[in-house]
Amino acid sequence: MCSSDLEAGLVDRLSVTSLIRLMNLVSRMNMGFRTGVHYPLVDAVVERLTREGELVHNLSLRNLCDLSNVICFHRDTPAARNVLLKGLDCILAEEPELLQTKEAVTFLLALAHLGLYNRSACELLFTSSVLTQHSHKAGGRIMNKLVRYARNGLMNQFLGGRLLSLQSMLELECPEYTGPRLTAQLEDTIRNWSPDPLRSEERRVGK
């Protein structure tokens, strides 16, 4: 898509959801050079979402996940951040239960990469029975087993790692957050999601 197409109003003729899917698809190309996305297209979509606020209200969580990934990895601008925050506010106000789903991990992690944290959203996520559970035996909140051991499966194979990444970023960048989080079996869970053991870990396991 060239700039002349954008100027001709192509963005206004297509649905926003179609444009977001297109941007997310091409955003995975040439990730090392960040050249997969046409920046004027992203800016035009963000401008339209800003201009027509009701469109943000109608975005699904999947749409917000795709858009947040594009913005996070390719085109982080103040206007784009505002659109994502408005989308999050809509979910919190009308469908907070969506923030306890698997897709919410991807969305909140992308926001975290932008330095955007929301206490209420994180509390909902870390109390999700789909993702975590309180274990009296372990003495705290642990990762749901279906998530913890999904690394080698086709379903949700990155979900547990993303949840751990989000918690780590919360602890480092948002220390004022004191809400629910993974507190038990944490070392074993991290080890399960580490791609390779540390040298010290290899020596310990080998003994």
Side-chain angles (χ1 to χ4, degrees), residues 71-177:
I71 291 169
C72 170
F73 293 112
H74 294 278
R75 192 61 170 168
D76 176 13
T77 65
R81 290 181 175 217
N82 285 336
V83 166
L84 294 178
L85 289 176
K86 183 174 180 181
L88 177 59
D89 287 342
C90 289
I91 292 177
L92 282 168
E94 299 183 11
E95 297 181 282
E97 65 277 6
L98 290 180
L99 294 170
Q100 295 190 309
T101 63
K102 297 171 183 178
E103 286 185 330
V105 178
T106 300
F107 181 41
L108 295 186
L109 180 59
L111 291 181
H113 280 296
L114 296 169
L116 303 174
Y117 297 93
N118 181 286
R119 178 186 175 89
S120 297
C122 290
E123 287 178 347
L124 285 166
L125 185 74
F126 282 101
T127 54
S128 165
S129 60
V130 175
L131 303 169
T132 72
Q133 62 188 76
H134 185 80
S135 170
H136 294 289
K137 181 178 179 180
R141 185 164 294 279
I142 63 175
M143 186 179 290
N144 187 305
K145 290 182 179 180
L146 293 177
V147 177
R148 180 178 177 182
Y149 297 110
R151 179 181 170 191
N152 296 321
L154 295 177
M155 292 290 290
N156 311 312
Q157 58 178 319
F158 302 115
L159 184 61
R162 288 171 179 166
L163 187 61
L164 288 171
S165 296
L166 176 59
Q167 174 159 316
S168 297
M169 294 180 72
L170 264 174
E171 293 172 348
L172 288 172
E173 299 184 351
C174 194
E176 63 271 20
Y177 174 77

Side-chain angles (χ1 to χ4, degrees), residues 176-193:
E176 63 271 20
Y177 174 77
T178 57
R181 69 186 74 196
L182 300 173
T183 56
Q185 299 180 352
L186 195 54
E187 184 177 342
D188 288 341
T189 303
I190 292 173
R191 186 183 299 116
N192 182 70
W193 281 92

Side-chain angles (χ1 to χ4, degrees), residues 24-37:
N24 184 57
L25 177 64
V26 298
S27 71
R28 302 172 190 178
M29 303 176 184
N30 299 324
M31 281 293 293
F33 299 96
R34 298 292 193 271
T35 57
V37 174

